[in-house]
Amino acid sequence: MTMIAAMGRISQIQATLQQLSGVSADRVTTTAAAATTAAASVSAGSFAATLAAALGTAGTTAPSATGSGAGATGTDVVASAEKYLGVPYVFGGEDSSGMDCSGLVQTVYADIGIELPRLVSGQMKMGTEVASLAEAQPGDLIVTGGGDHILIYAGDNKVIHAPYPGRTVCLREAYMTDADITTIRRIIPTDTAVTGAGSADRLNAAFAAFAQQNSIVTGSAL
């Protein structure tokens, strides 16, 4: 979101809040001025981060995957991964003749139109972070061993991965615990658009949190 767009949205939110709460014009004007100062004093990225937190989509800031992947879902990721069950583990491999753990991940996502880095070290920085295995959804990537291995969460406490030489790509019960997991990454957002009746409330909450976080800059809290 650009700074101009953010400030425009702030004005819209303040107008709505004035109508709903019936607060005095002086109070609204003062609050809007403080919020505008706060918006000008921080980057648009800060507002975007606050908005993401209010929408429940916050995660570790990371690069976005490239490629459209339009309409792709986590279920599509799992279906793509299942096509490679039985493919032998081959270090450095990335096709149906043989693949390693990160080669499987890259190939599976490429099949649905999303480009990911080739190595675990890059893949583990993509998307947004998921807090725990209990919150994982199909298609999420599970990284273990500090980046030594990566798996695809298949849902129902199962994972698909290319284990090690002598084994094949397989579907199995998730054998790791949160203590074993370095990070869980969600590449495909579960809610990519801000729509519906509840969106205004969530945007208002994002604005309020943003202004409150920056009240030290403006010297005036909401």
Side-chain angles (χ1 to χ4, degrees):
M1 177 181 290
T2 66
M3 184 59 67
I4 292 175
M7 293 176 69
R9 182 55 184 155
I10 286 171
S11 297
Q12 294 174 5
I13 293 172
Q14 286 301 320
T16 299
L17 291 177
Q18 181 180 13
Q19 294 174 359
L20 294 177
S21 63
V23 298
S24 68
D26 289 342
R27 172 66 171 168
V28 172
T29 300
T30 301
T31 303
T36 301
T37 302
S41 67
V42 297
S43 69
S46 176
F47 181 83
T50 304
L51 176 62
L55 296 179
T57 58
T60 302
T61 301
S64 297
T66 58
S68 64
T73 66
T75 301
D76 294 330
V77 175
V78 175
S80 176
E82 288 175 340
K83 295 187 304 182
Y84 298 102
L85 294 177
V87 170
Y89 179 99
V90 173
F91 181 76
E94 51 190 36
D95 58 38
S96 57
S97 65
M99 52 180 58
D100 58 18
C101 64
S102 57
L104 171 65
V105 167
Q106 185 188 49
T107 300
V108 164
Y109 270 88
D111 285 349
I112 61 172
I114 297 176
E115 297 179 18
L116 292 180
R118 174 61 182 84
L119 303 177
V120 178
S121 58
Q123 295 170 355
M124 66 188 290
K125 298 175 183 177
M126 305 302 289
T128 57
E129 187 165 37
V130 176
S132 67
L133 185 59
E135 299 177 42
Q137 296 182 7
D140 289 350
L141 303 179
I142 301 174
V143 179
T144 61
D148 288 340
H149 192 53
I150 191 165
L151 313 88
I152 299 171
Y153 187 68
D156 196 25
N157 201 44
K158 291 182 171 58
V159 293
I160 296 176
H161 70 145
Y164 47 80
R167 295 286 301 278
T168 62
V169 174
C170 62
L171 171 69
R172 60 162 297 175
E173 289 290 325
Y175 57 86
M176 71 291 296
T177 67
D178 287 331
D180 304 314
I181 296 173
T182 302
T183 185
I184 302 174
R185 311 302 297 187
R186 180 159 298 154
I187 307 302
I188 300 176
T190 54
D191 183 7
T192 58
V194 179
T195 57
S199 299
D201 291 338
R202 290 185 292 172
L203 284 170
N204 289 343
F207 164 72
F210 170 77
Q212 183 176 20
Q213 289 170 4
N214 292 280
S215 60
I216 190 172
V217 178
T218 65
S220 175
L222 293 180

